[in-house]
């Protein structure tokens, strides 16, 4: 059953080393849509994501709901092979892992022939792809992703953006990224977190469903607008 409740933060506050990162921050993330968060480093994007997962204290109670979480680091277990890392959540819950589905996901991220390899035998990019397959395996209705495509070569990044947009369609996704083009390709809604203290800017919603073409002319215009907004935020 799809969730019918949006993700909501109200009056959130975050301080770091006596600096107010955000205060009185309100955020609502729509059901069944992918919201991409951009903003300068240090503005609180990752902490906001963690707060939605119930992993960070922002001074207000946050409704705890089952989520799939993907951090910037791959967090693979070094003693497990790639397939077992994909099914780790099921194993921890005492469920029987679906190795066939895990194998299919590894094939879709281009690692079908590396299913039996342990992390030490995988490159950094390959480890990230295993982590993405693990997130997709979970099939949660809420998915939180922190720079999920960073550190990948461009063709692999584009392919995995397409795959994630396809497989996560209909779920409630919040994705942190520093890449305006990436946000415009995979997001239904784009928001910029910026300022001191930080606030969320208005929602920008590109036309058409994701994943969108890399060379779409309307996206190029929106990318220029986002770059200008981010440059002003970082000034």
């Amino acid at each position: 059953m799809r969730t019918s409740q949006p993700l909501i933060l109200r009056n959130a506050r975050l301080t770091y080393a006596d600096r107010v990162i955000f205060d009185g921050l309100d955020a609502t993330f729509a059901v069944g849509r992918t919201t991409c968060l951009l903003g300068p480093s240090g503005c609180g994007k990752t902490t906001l994501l963690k707060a939605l997962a119930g992993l960070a204290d922002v001074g207000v109670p946050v409704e705890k709901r089952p989520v799939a979480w993907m951090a910037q680091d791959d967090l693979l277990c070094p003693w497990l092979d790639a397939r077992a890392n994909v099914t780790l959540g099921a194993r921890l819950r005492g469920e029987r892992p679906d190795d066939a589905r895990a194998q299919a996901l590894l094939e879709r991220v281009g690692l079908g022939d590396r299913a039996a390899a342990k992390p030490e035998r995988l490159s950094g990019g390959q480890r990230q792809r295993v982590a993405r397959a693990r997130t997709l395996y979970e099939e949660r209705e809420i998915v939180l992703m922190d720079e999920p495509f960073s550190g990948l070569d461009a063709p692999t990044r584009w392919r995995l953006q397409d795959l994630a947009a396809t497989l996560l369609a209909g779920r409630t996704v919040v994705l942190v990224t520093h890449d305006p083009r990436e946000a415009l390709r995979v997001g239904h809604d784009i928001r910029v977190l910026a300022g001191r203290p930080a606030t969320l800017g208005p929602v920008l919603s590109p036309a058409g469903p994701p994943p969108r073409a890399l060379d779409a002319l309307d996206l190029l215009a929106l990318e220029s607008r986002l770059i200008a907004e981010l440059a002003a935020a970082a000034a």
Side-chain angles (χ1 to χ4, degrees):
M1 177 180 295
R2 298 293 184 188
T3 180
S4 60
Q5 298 296 321
L7 286 172
I8 297 174
L9 275 180
R10 288 287 180 264
N11 201 33
R13 175 179 172 84
L14 174 67
T15 61
Y16 179 75
D18 297 326
R19 176 189 167 199
V20 178
I21 307 301
F22 51 73
D23 190 12
L25 181 70
D26 293 339
T28 300
F29 302 98
V31 173
R33 295 173 69 85
T34 293
T35 302
C36 291
L37 290 180
L38 298 100
S41 296
C43 69
K45 298 184 301 298
T46 294
T47 300
L48 191 156
L49 202 68
K50 289 181 177 179
L52 293 172
L55 300 174
D57 181 8
V58 290
V60 291
V62 179
E63 181 185 1
K64 294 188 181 299
R65 296 159 69 177
V67 303
W69 166 266
M70 184 169 179
Q72 295 179 32
D73 298 325
D74 58 70
L75 302 177
L76 300 184
C77 294
W79 58 89
L80 298 177
D81 63 25
R83 187 187 299 111
N85 265 292
V86 171
T87 61
L88 178 62
R91 295 171 186 274
L92 291 175
R93 292 188 295 271
E95 302 169 1
R96 183 176 180 177
D98 187 341
D99 289 333
R101 187 157 66 86
Q103 180 66 35
L105 285 169
L106 286 171
E107 290 173 358
R108 295 195 72 171
V109 300
L111 292 175
D113 61 344
R114 305 292 284 159
K118 292 185 177 179
E120 65 182 12
R121 296 173 53 202
L122 300 173
S123 69
Q126 289 173 329
R127 290 167 59 104
Q128 287 184 312
R129 283 187 271 167
V130 174
R132 279 142 193 78
R134 180 176 59 195
T135 301
L136 294 170
Y137 178 92
E138 284 299 298
E139 291 194 325
R140 298 291 187 186
E141 300 307 322
I142 298 171
V143 181
L144 308 175
M145 309 176 82
D146 192 2
E147 298 189 59
F149 309 111
S150 63
L152 299 172
D153 62 87
T156 300
R157 184 166 65 248
W158 300 331
R159 186 173 73 250
L160 292 184
Q161 288 169 357
D162 289 347
L163 178 63
T166 300
L167 295 184
L168 295 177
R171 303 190 200 185
T172 302
V173 181
V174 184
L175 186 156
V176 167
T177 178
H178 284 287
D179 184 347
R181 179 76 62 88
E182 178 172 283
L184 291 167
R185 287 202 72 219
V186 304
H188 295 92
D189 303 319
I190 319 298
R191 305 201 67 177
V192 174
L193 183 67
R196 299 187 182 90
T199 59
L200 276 170
V203 177
L204 174 64
S205 299
R212 302 179 184 91
L214 280 164
D215 57 353
L217 294 179
D218 56 336
L219 291 194
L220 296 178
L222 289 175
E223 183 178 21
S224 297
R225 173 179 162 184
L226 270 178
I227 289 172
E229 187 173 345
L230 290 167

